[in-house]
Amino acid sequence: MPDTPRFDGPLAESWIRAIAAAVEKEQPRLTELDSAIGDGDHGSNLQRGFTAALTALDALGPADPGAVLTKTGTTLISKVGGASGPLYGKAFRAIGAALPGPAAPATLAEALSAGLDAVRLLGKAEPGDKTIVDAWTPAVTAFRTAAATGATLPEAATAAADAAEQGARDTTPLQARKGRASYLGERSIGHQDPGATSTALIFRTLAETLTT
Amino acid sequence: MPDTPRFDGPLAESWIRAIAAAVEKEQPRLTELDSAIGDGDHGSNLQRGFTAALTALDALGPADPGAVLTKTGTTLISKVGGASGPLYGKAFRAIGAALPGPAAPATLAEALSAGLDAVRLLGKAEPGDKTIVDAWTPAVTAFRTAAATGATLPEAATAAADAAEQGARDTTPLQARKGRASYLGERSIGHQDPGATSTALIFRTLAETLTT
Amino acid sequence: MKKLINTPESVLEDALAGVAAAHPELAVDIPNRVITRAARPAGPKVALISGGGSGHEPLHGGFVGPGMLDAACPGEVFTSPVPDQMLAAAKAVENGAGVVFVVKNYTGDVMNFELAAELAAEEGLEVRTVLVNDDVAVEDSTWTAGRRGTGATVLVEKTAGALAERGAPLDEVAALGERVNAASRSFAIALTAATVPAAGKPGFDLPEDEIEVGVGIHGEPGRRREKLRPARDLAAEVVDTILTDHHLTPGDEVIALLNGLGATPLLELYVVYGEVAARLAERGITVARSLVGNYVTSLDMAGFSLTLTKADTQLLELWDAPVDTPALKRA
Amino acid sequence: MKKLINTPESVLEDALAGVAAAHPELAVDIPNRVITRAARPAGPKVALISGGGSGHEPLHGGFVGPGMLDAACPGEVFTSPVPDQMLAAAKAVENGAGVVFVVKNYTGDVMNFELAAELAAEEGLEVRTVLVNDDVAVEDSTWTAGRRGTGATVLVEKTAGALAERGAPLDEVAALGERVNAASRSFAIALTAATVPAAGKPGFDLPEDEIEVGVGIHGEPGRRREKLRPARDLAAEVVDTILTDHHLTPGDEVIALLNGLGATPLLELYVVYGEVAARLAERGITVARSLVGNYVTSLDMAGFSLTLTKADTQLLELWDAPVDTPALKRA
Ligand SMILES: Nc1ncnc2c1ncn2[C@@H]1O[C@H](COP(=O)(O)OP(=O)(O)O)[C@@H](O)[C@H]1O
Ligand SMILES: Nc1ncnc2c1ncn2[C@@H]1O[C@H](COP(=O)(O)OP(=O)(O)O)[C@@H](O)[C@H]1O
Ligand SMILES: [Mg+2]
Ligand SMILES: [Mg+2]
Ligand SMILES: [Mg+2]
Ligand SMILES: [Mg+2]
């Protein structure tokens, strides 16, 4: 299918730049969610990280998607701290490592899946623990299913974003078992997880980047 | 004048007990005045001191006025701290030292004057500095004048109490130059001095003790 | 928010400049956010490195010096440091005998130190990690991120630091650190919440007559809220809570750390300590050593934490060993 | 009022019980309210005694020990001690070489120590008094009770303590104390007021965005109130205010004490110290030694004071001399 556009370096860079813009815009909301069941810094953590990633990508110049995303992950690890820094950092590095060149939907699906594996390896969270994993898992499943049935990149990414958002919403009734929110015990129930919410944002941004 | 009652041990003890009761009652007012231009402890300082004096007098048993007042002064020195403890302590010790036995008005006048001298020697305040001295000075003058013109103890003490109260009121427009209130500079103007106020209380109590 | 700062963004950097100016005995690498001793130890020695979010001073920078830490990595306020800091620190102080990371058990700290350990290993350094998790307010179950690391950090850093200073090998220093952590339990009570400069308002709302029982050093919620009670009752409750979890028995000896959370006057800490000592005596526990003061703070939080470490001859001897850091000195 | 106490009336006694429990190296006479060293110095030595209202901890009890004070006399909170305490202390620690009283310049302290000196003289003791009056917020004129004694007390107690420990005679120790006081100036800024337990509410009201410039350690009013400004500006103002009064000239060396008033996080103190150091450098003043922390506090007041003592070889050497007290240790 030579007509299907592939996920290349410029698209990868657009994705990261779009995440930075989205995080900037959604920072108050992420902060508010993290204030309810965490320590209120998830928004500023991600803003610090993705702002630094923009600078890093400026310095990198044109590159293949793997290099763009690996650089992004490395920057997040170096700049964010907290729980989300290493988790998203490792995730983007894993996605990058799985994308040596421009990628078709199926390859991108596997790369996103590698990102999830990295999050789970480091954070040891199971689905249902009220974390990033609860948005990322359905997103990967949706992306992979769409890709397997011949969806284009925008179609697969939109399905993934929808699934991630649903996954994020579904964290609300859960009791947190990982991260800071777990200290709240039952009091964590009834709040949407900030990390799952930012994951949904990352997938929605991917869909938008690929669509426009 | 064998009919004129003299200031003896029981009267001295009644005076101190009456001061303790008056301080207990007026504590909020003294505290309030000291909060305005000092550190708000003048009431509790005196209460602590005179409560201890009661215990000391219980232990002392019947004694001549000199012993009663010396014991009171010593107790104030030992229990009060702050500025007022040494000042009133020295004052009562000086009054006591001047009263070897039951005293006629003229002798008590000189004893009260010795109390003022003790305050001034230790505190180095001049009249007009907005201190105890501003109530005690006119009180001694009034007591001495009355005694010199043949007044009885109750008459002399009432004149002294009136003068002390006037002296205390007259501290209001003064700028403090001694003690904690002096740190306020011009901001001490417009407030009645707590120490002058407790001095007026001490003289009013003497008048009441001698009258009843 | 009333704070002695320039801007919320620059707090860490500005504070590090102050640390550098105040402590010629420390070397402060401001860009890399690493504090080390100005004078490197002579022979090979296990390098002890700790770090964590800022706002808990003197932890950890105040414990860098002979007999305690080789380096500290301060993160942003209440935010774990990043792996680059720990890697830079490890490279700066590694001295031929390996590196021990002392890590307080918070998800962010654990993961960032884990990545640092990976990076350090890639550079050929031998790294061991000692996890500190002493706060009994959190149940140590699969339902949580595990007990939080608080006051025991001081005990671990002091005793492991003393052992490292004597030339003990890597595994021995790490094992000692783990042993001290296992022998330690802490519990804290807050009277007020801390205000993170970037947040600009207190981390939680506490009515004028209520306390947070079992609070965490970042203002994490405790077991419950209740009315303020006399120091005697609070001390007894804290002692009893720790003893329940700790299984100390009459006759046991402890090192007691009564720690101020930042805004509690020393006068009040001594009032509490008097009651803690009395309660421990009632329960038959002997305080072999004690330390009262602000060691693991939570910015401007008012309150205290108590840490009890079961003592034995080796621990007491290491606790008593000389130390020369800004916040802890012993001849 | 939220405080870790049993009752407002028992604060001092309860805190002394805590001091006794926490510090076996001190002897705490609770009924007489006197803190001394547990181990008496061997030979004859000038006995250094200080005291003052409680609420300024670690001042003075935290400075009792070899190389510093022989005894401390804590009064009720923010109330000077009574002469009986100083007399009891003098009798307990006098060691054949006379006694020096270190007294902060407040009317109550001055008079109570004066009576104590009279009583001690009656008992045949030789007493000298060193008055500390370093707070430049108050004009030292006949219109006031004179400059208040604050941070310089630490410098006086440390250096005179070191000199006494070496066996210097009474007049020399007293003269040194006076010299250090004369070489010292302090200035403080408060962000919040302290709450005396017995009063139950803050000593003054300060709007959420205002500071008290030139505040005293009992909450005495300063020179003025103004809006909170960045730490850099406040540090510069405090340095400049002191330099104006102190007549230091470029090239002079100082010992700098940046002191927290009780509720200020160490993180913020370091931010301020960084700015203080920068401003002093701009003004050509060299900081020979520095000390950053809570030393002369005002209960739960947030804020800081800066003390600058003009240094010379003798003062630096005495400042560096060994000291072993709860709050200040040096090998
Ligand atoms: N073990 C974990 N695995 C996956 N995600 C986690 C884990 N722990 C925490 N998270 C995610 O991290 C988010 C919080 O991130 P952030 O606020 O940036 O870090 P911190 O909790 O250190 O302040 C949580 O909402 C949660 O989704
Ligand atoms: N030098 C002095 N001479 C005479 N009276 C003084 C002097 N200094 C202070 N006072 C008196 O002491 C009073 C305050 O007493 P108090 O509140 O008990 O002591 P403190 O000021 O130590 O808290 C003042 O109102 C003033 O009348
Ligand atoms: Mg967070
Ligand atoms: Mg007063
Ligand atoms: Mg955080
Ligand atoms: Mg007072």
Side-chain angles (χ1 to χ4, degrees), chain A residues 39 41 45 48 76-84 86-87 90 121-124 175-180 182-184 187, chain C residues 76 78-84 105-108 111-112 114-115 118 138 142-146 148 212 218 220-223:
Chain A
D39 57 354
D41 61 358
N45 283 347
R48 184 168 65 247
L76 293 178
I77 290 173
S78 296
K79 297 294 173 187
V80 177
S84 57
L87 288 168
K90 278 281 192 179
L121 183 69
L122 181 62
K124 297 176 190 69
Q175 174 171 342
R177 310 218 292 186
K178 281 280 181 288
R180 228 164 249 297
S182 72
Y183 302 133
L184 283 163
R187 286 170 286 173
Chain C
E76 290 293 327
F78 285 9
T79 300
S80 76
V82 298
D84 306 43
N105 187 34
Y106 299 94
T107 303
M111 294 195 303
N112 281 283
E114 191 175 325
L115 298 201
E118 281 176 19
V138 178
T142 53
W143 278 89
T144 68
R148 300 178 290 235
E212 181 80 32
H218 310 93
E220 294 93 343
R223 292 185 171 182

Side-chain angles (χ1 to χ4, degrees), chain C residues 93-285:
Chain C
V93 302
E94 202 276 337
N95 208 7
V99 175
V100 171
F101 286 160
V102 178
V103 184
K104 301 194 295 300
N105 187 34
Y106 299 94
T107 303
D109 293 71
V110 169
M111 294 195 303
N112 281 283
F113 270 95
E114 191 175 325
L115 298 201
E118 281 176 19
L119 295 173
E122 282 168 22
E123 307 236 3
L125 301 180
E126 253 205 301
V127 178
R128 301 284 179 278
T129 296
V130 174
L131 197 68
V132 181
N133 63 343
D134 53 317
D135 185 348
V136 302
V138 178
E139 236 185 302
D140 190 17
S141 75
T142 53
W143 278 89
T144 68
R147 286 200 309 250
R148 300 178 290 235
T150 65
T153 318
V154 178
L155 282 287
V156 170
E157 294 178 1
K158 170 68 183 78
T159 52
L163 195 61
E165 211 71 40
R166 289 175 191 179
L170 183 60
D171 285 324
E172 211 176 289
V173 173
L176 185 273
E178 277 161 15
R179 188 163 89 74
V180 173
N181 174 60
S184 303
R185 297 287 189 283
S186 301
F187 194 73
I189 288 181
L191 274 60
T192 64
T195 298
V196 174
K201 57 180 179 36
F204 53 87
D205 293 317
L206 208 47
E208 177 52 33
D209 60 343
E210 287 189 19
I211 59 176
E212 181 80 32
V213 179
V215 74
I217 55 171
H218 310 93
E220 294 93 343
R223 292 185 171 182
R224 65 176 183 285
R225 283 189 183 181
E226 56 177 53
K227 298 284 174 205
L228 178 62
R229 288 177 290 145
R232 184 166 303 132
D233 296 5
L234 299 181
E237 166 153 4
V238 167
V239 166
D240 293 355
T241 302
I242 292 178
L243 292 189
T244 303
D245 192 288
H246 208 346
H247 306 299
L248 293 172
T249 48
D252 281 345
E253 284 199 329
V254 296
I255 302 175
L257 165 61
L258 185 77
N259 173 60
L261 293 176
T264 295
L266 195 50
L267 187 74
E268 292 178 34
L269 282 187
Y270 277 119
V271 169
V272 174
Y273 186 70
E275 302 300 344
V276 163
R279 185 62 166 194
L280 285 169
E282 271 172 42
R283 303 287 306 263
I285 308 296

Side-chain angles (χ1 to χ4, degrees), chain B residues 39 41 45 48 77-83 86-87 90 122-124 175-180 182-184 187, chain D residues 78-84 105-108 111-112 114-115 118 138 142-146 148 218 220-222:
Chain B
D39 58 354
D41 61 358
N45 283 347
R48 185 168 64 247
I77 290 172
S78 296
K79 296 295 174 188
V80 177
L87 288 169
K90 278 281 193 180
L122 182 62
K124 298 179 187 68
Q175 174 171 342
R177 311 217 290 186
K178 281 279 179 288
R180 227 163 250 299
S182 72
Y183 302 134
L184 284 164
R187 286 171 287 172
Chain D
F78 285 10
T79 300
S80 75
V82 298
D84 307 43
N105 187 34
Y106 299 94
T107 304
M111 295 196 300
N112 282 283
E114 191 176 324
L115 297 200
E118 280 176 20
V138 178
T142 54
W143 278 89
T144 68
R148 301 177 290 233
H218 310 93
E220 293 94 343

Side-chain angles (χ1 to χ4, degrees), chain C residues 1-6 11 18 22-23 57 191 207-208 210 230-232 265 267-268 270 273-275 290 329, chain D residues 1-6 11 18 22-23 57 191 207-208 210 230-232 267-268 270 273-275 290 329:
Chain C
M1 173 184 62
K2 257 184 181 176
K3 293 206 176 274
L4 293 166
I5 60 174
N6 290 316
V11 168
H23 299 292
E57 290 66 26
L191 274 60
E208 177 52 33
E210 287 189 19
R232 184 166 303 132
L267 187 74
E268 292 178 34
Y270 277 119
Y273 186 70
E275 302 300 344
S290 65
K329 290 187 200 289
Chain D
M1 174 183 61
K2 256 185 181 175
K3 293 206 176 275
L4 294 166
I5 60 174
N6 290 315
V11 168
H23 298 292
E57 291 66 26
L191 273 59
E208 177 52 34
E210 286 187 20
R232 184 166 302 134
L267 187 73
E268 293 178 35
Y270 276 118
Y273 187 70
E275 302 300 343
S290 66
K329 291 186 200 289

Side-chain angles (χ1 to χ4, degrees), chain B residues 33-123:
Chain B
L33 291 174
D34 196 34
S35 297
I37 57 169
D39 58 354
D41 61 358
H42 190 55
S44 62
N45 283 347
L46 293 187
Q47 189 169 18
R48 185 168 64 247
F50 282 97
T51 304
L54 297 188
T55 312
L57 294 186
D58 286 344
L60 181 67
D64 63 38
V68 166
L69 299 179
T70 303
K71 176 54 100 188
T72 298
T74 306
T75 306
L76 293 179
I77 290 172
S78 296
K79 296 295 174 188
V80 177
S84 57
L87 288 169
Y88 280 135
K90 278 281 193 180
F92 278 98
R93 282 178 59 87
I95 300 171
L99 295 174
T107 312
L108 184 54
E110 289 325 301
L112 293 170
S113 175
L116 175 59
D117 291 346
V119 168
R120 294 195 55 178
L121 184 69
L122 182 62

